[in-house]
Amino acid sequence: MTRPDPTDPALAPVAAAPVDAALGDGAPAAPGKCPVAPPTGLRRRAFLRGAGLTTALGAGALAGAFAAGADATTAPDPSGRTIPFHGPHQAGITTPPQAAASFVSFTVIAPDRAGLRQLLGVLTDRIGALTAGGPVPATDLASPPTDSATLGPVLPSDGLTVTVGVGASLFDGRFGLAGRKPARLVEMPAFPDDDLVGSKELHGDLSLQICADSRDTVMHALRDITRHTRGLMQASWKVDGFHAAPRPSGTPRNQLGFKDGIANPDTGDAKVTDAVLWTHGGANGEPAWVEGGSYQVIRIIRMLVEFWDRVSLHEQETMIGRRRDSGAPLDGTVESDLPNYQADPQGLIVPMTAHIRLANPRTADTADQLILRRGYNYERGLDLDGNLDVGLVFCCYQQDVNRQFTAVQQRLAGEPLVDYISPTGGGYFFALPGVKGPGDRFGSALLA
């Protein structure tokens, strides 16, 4: 059977229908004069076009069905944990990284501000239902199934979080939001050592960070969300990641073999998170609605492991500034030891050009530049030359992307490590404030 042509206009996303139209009775179109049934591919396309008109508005009702429960056998949750959806901040930021993640960027194709409001409402309903888990609502045999069934008849919560961010391009003239853009939200610039020319994995109107304790739970959530938002947003790029288990203990390792994420701020300390993580409405020129949000940076960083693996261990460790086996700084014994740069002012032990020293000099002037890293390894097979395409989906959160991430990145420009890594894509997004309760919605303050 011939595959459908992906460039066929019939497969293009449709504009969101007005609310009343989306609740139509679903009667088939009047038959034409030709007695021959249309080819299967055409019938499939017609179904897809129709699905775009109905799924977004059905999401609220479906979420209610999940919450109310349906007749199904209760199944055990694979990971045995549910991460709360409601709160002043979104889940998936201070949540310890789960085993699997997808970072997906979308273009919002809703026709107007009402359509954007509808999109954010659908996202609220679907994410709330998916993260809670529960029996899948029953479907009669004549209707499309309410769920893909890839996780079975009872959805596990499986540690699922879905974090919603908005990009600078959402605040153009389409939705009347130009005057409400977060003060530091811009498109991610190309830094001196980046390789972004021709990249198709840059920026976006909206981002989803989907994380769970199992890979199939992440994929199920993405499939469900894209189904219910068809006609309102269209995926632009996607990168999948995995969070390695600690080997043998402590912080997990990246594809260079070094422990990654050791020096994160203490997210259990409210004073710390208020100072370096959460945005505050009305402070530093920020609009009032940003209270409880955070700036998100996503960077797709390829690691040139074939070259790295030929470098001596001594050179690897001096480039990073840590021991590869233990993760300890070069002047310490365990990974939790703090490097004492004051005792090594000339960099005789931890070189002045070491990654950890440039990223976090540990001075009074740089104390407010801490970022919360939440990265994932990735593996994408082989490139055209047969080299491994592996690396890091670097993700971090901060209160002020200029004061924190940009300042760090500028210090890292030209470091020795740049010969072995190649940033190829990503973007800046603003993680919306959390959904505070059942009556709240994503972006309620933004669109008020």
Side-chain angles (χ1 to χ4, degrees), residues 276 359 361 365-371 403-405 407-408 411:
V276 301
D365 292 338
T366 61
D368 66 348
Q369 296 175 2
L370 293 176
I371 58 177
R403 186 188 82 220
Q404 294 166 266
F405 175 76
V408 171
R411 284 197 300 271

Side-chain angles (χ1 to χ4, degrees), residues 53-72:
L53 297 177
T54 58
T55 53
L57 266 292
L62 188 56
F66 272 92
D71 291 334

Side-chain angles (χ1 to χ4, degrees), residues 88-448:
H89 314 293
Q90 287 195 69
I93 299 176
T94 60
T95 307
Q98 300 95 315
S102 287
F103 298 83
V104 194
S105 175
F106 294 84
T107 299
V108 175
I109 57 176
D112 50 29
R113 188 162 175 157
L116 176 62
R117 187 186 305 274
Q118 178 185 341
L119 169 61
L120 293 175
V122 172
L123 287 173
T124 304
D125 290 337
R126 295 312 310 139
I127 295 170
L130 292 167
T131 55
V136 173
T139 306
D140 64 81
L141 294 178
S143 302
T146 55
D147 184 77
S148 64
T150 58
L151 300 182
V154 178
L155 295 187
S157 52
D158 201 21
L160 176 67
T161 61
V162 184
T163 309
V164 180
V166 292
S169 56
L170 190 74
F171 296 85
D172 57 16
R174 289 171 293 165
F175 308 112
L177 298 174
R180 302 181 68 80
K181 186 170 73 169
R184 276 74 180 168
L185 185 59
V186 296
E187 289 191 341
M188 185 182 73
F191 291 95
D193 303 307
D194 288 357
D195 185 18
L196 304 183
V197 176
S199 175
K200 297 180 180 179
E201 297 177 317
L202 283 172
H203 318 310
D205 292 336
L206 187 144
S207 73
L208 295 181
Q209 174 197 276
I210 309 174
C211 303
D213 295 328
S214 306
R215 178 79 249 164
D216 56 350
T217 300
V218 172
M219 188 60 220
H220 174 273
L222 177 60
R223 183 171 171 180
D224 181 279
I225 290 169
T226 54
R227 170 184 177 177
H228 288 95
T229 57
R230 184 174 175 80
L232 298 173
M233 68 178 187
Q234 178 68 45
S236 302
W237 54 268
K238 168 179 173 281
V239 58
D240 300 326
F242 61 93
H243 198 68
R247 300 183 188 277
S249 61
T251 306
R253 299 174 185 271
N254 60 29
Q255 301 278 29
L256 300 182
F258 282 78
K259 295 189 174 187
D260 197 309
I262 294 173
N264 263 337
D266 181 5
T267 58
D269 188 332
K271 290 184 178 179
V272 172
T273 55
D274 282 343
V276 301
L277 185 56
W278 308 123
T279 50
H280 302 294
N284 301 316
E286 294 286 6
W289 70 267
V290 306
E291 183 69 32
S294 189
Y295 286 92
Q296 178 197 53
V297 175
I298 300 172
R299 303 264 289 172
I300 304 171
I301 303 176
R302 183 174 178 182
M303 294 178 169
L304 309 177
V305 293
E306 285 88 354
F307 297 98
W308 178 257
D309 291 344
R310 301 172 193 168
V311 176
S312 71
L313 177 59
H314 172 73
E315 189 176 352
Q316 289 184 2
E317 291 185 336
T318 55
M319 275 192 273
I320 300 297
R322 292 187 180 275
R323 302 293 181 194
R324 193 174 72 161
D325 55 357
S326 65
L330 295 180
D331 62 352
T333 56
V334 295
E335 70 173 78
S336 58
D337 286 343
L338 300 180
N340 187 357
Y341 298 143
Q342 290 183 339
D344 183 26
Q346 296 179 321
L348 300 179
I349 303 175
V350 181
M352 304 300 289
T353 57
H355 181 81
I356 67 168
R357 191 161 191 161
L358 293 173
N360 184 6
R362 298 180 183 275
T363 65
D365 292 338
T366 61
D368 66 348
Q369 296 175 2
L370 293 176
I371 58 177
L372 176 63
R373 287 172 291 166
R374 204 173 186 281
Y376 282 81
N377 294 328
Y378 78 78
E379 188 276 319
R380 289 175 149 184
L382 304 176
D383 65 13
L384 295 178
D385 297 320
N387 294 315
L388 294 171
D389 187 354
V390 301
L392 177 71
V393 187
F394 174 91
C395 177
C396 71
Y397 292 90
Q398 55 264 295
Q399 183 183 86
D400 184 329
V401 71
N402 294 333
R403 186 188 82 220
Q404 294 166 266
F405 175 76
T406 300
V408 171
Q409 197 65 24
Q410 288 172 342
R411 284 197 300 271
L412 292 172
E415 65 168 325
L417 192 60
V418 300
D419 289 337
Y420 305 95
I421 61 175
S422 180
T424 62
Y428 288 174
F429 299 92
F430 181 77
L432 295 171
V435 176
K436 297 176 178 59
D440 195 14
R441 291 288 183 268
F442 282 123
S444 58
L446 166 63
L447 296 174

